[in-house]
Amino acid sequence: MSHVCSIVEDLLPLYKTKGLQADTTEFVEQHLATCKHCQQLAATKLSSNQNLSMKSTLTFFHLIFIVLSFVFALNSSLLGDHKSFVALYALFGCLTYLFYKNIWIVFAISSIPVFVWAIINNFSNPLYIQGLSFMDISALIIGASYIALLHTIFALLGSAFAIILRRF
């Protein structure tokens, strides 16, 4: 087994899912045409329907981005009487999508911190909480959901812009 065989063996899962660039696919196919060992290996790996487990790890940069997004969410939200939250959340959604390339993460990062902050911020507000009744808690949760929804809409609009940007 040569050095090239080791490389081709590592590339076989991506070759199977057509995840390689054209030049790399050509390289793998040329090698498979001449190497009996790799042909057998490819037949074994390609015929077995094994899903490779992708190790999902949180990198240091992801953690910093999440912390910064929470701080950004709390400092630029409607709750802080900042009227610029519309533009900031659109920019925030765009950048978050470009960083993670996942709309669900944009949704979570743009809604959860604002929802939690709205509950904490309004828990002592007599408009929402006059006692600890079911109606008061319900009003608090509905109000927090509404504020989080507003922020999320603008973040999703920003991420839609990012999706369009990635297409071009």
Side-chain angles (χ1 to χ4, degrees):
M1 190 164 111
S2 71
H3 179 67
V4 175
C5 290
S6 298
I7 294 170
V8 169
E9 183 178 350
D10 289 342
L11 292 173
L12 282 176
L14 291 173
Y15 176 74
K16 176 184 175 186
T17 60
K18 297 180 177 33
L20 298 174
Q21 294 182 3
D23 292 342
T24 310
T25 301
E26 184 179 333
F27 167 76
V28 171
E29 289 173 349
Q30 285 176 353
H31 181 76
L32 288 174
T34 60
C35 180
K36 296 288 183 193
H37 170 75
C38 289
Q39 287 173 2
Q40 291 173 346
L41 189 62
T44 304
K45 285 198 176 214
L46 293 178
S47 66
S48 68
N49 196 8
Q50 297 173 340
N51 292 334
L52 298 175
S53 64
M54 299 298 274
K55 186 178 181 183
S56 65
T57 59
L58 231 52
T59 66
F60 177 70
F61 295 110
H62 286 107
L63 289 174
I64 290 202
F65 192 80
I66 289 170
V67 168
L68 288 175
S69 67
F70 270 70
V71 170
F72 176 78
L74 299 180
N75 286 329
S76 66
S77 73
L78 181 61
L79 296 170
D81 292 330
H82 293 281
K83 303 304 182 224
S84 61
F85 84 95
V86 173
L88 289 174
Y89 260 79
L91 177 64
F92 169 67
C94 180
L95 293 175
T96 304
Y97 184 81
L98 290 173
F99 186 77
Y100 288 106
K101 296 172 185 63
N102 187 327
I103 199 75
W104 293 108
I105 292 176
V106 174
F107 177 81
I109 290 179
S110 64
S111 63
I112 293 171
V114 174
F115 179 77
V116 170
W117 180 249
I119 288 178
I120 292 170
N121 193 37
N122 290 326
F123 194 74
S124 61
N125 187 341
L127 178 65
Y128 288 108
I129 302 292
Q130 296 170 355
L132 289 177
S133 70
F134 177 74
M135 292 299 289
D136 290 340
I137 301 296
S138 297
L140 177 66
I141 291 173
I142 290 170
S145 299
Y146 176 72
I147 290 172
L149 177 67
L150 283 175
H151 289 79
T152 304
I153 287 170
F154 294 114
L156 292 176
L157 287 173
S159 62
F161 180 72
I163 291 170
I164 292 169
L165 276 176
R166 287 192 68 220
R167 303 275 180 200
F168 296 106

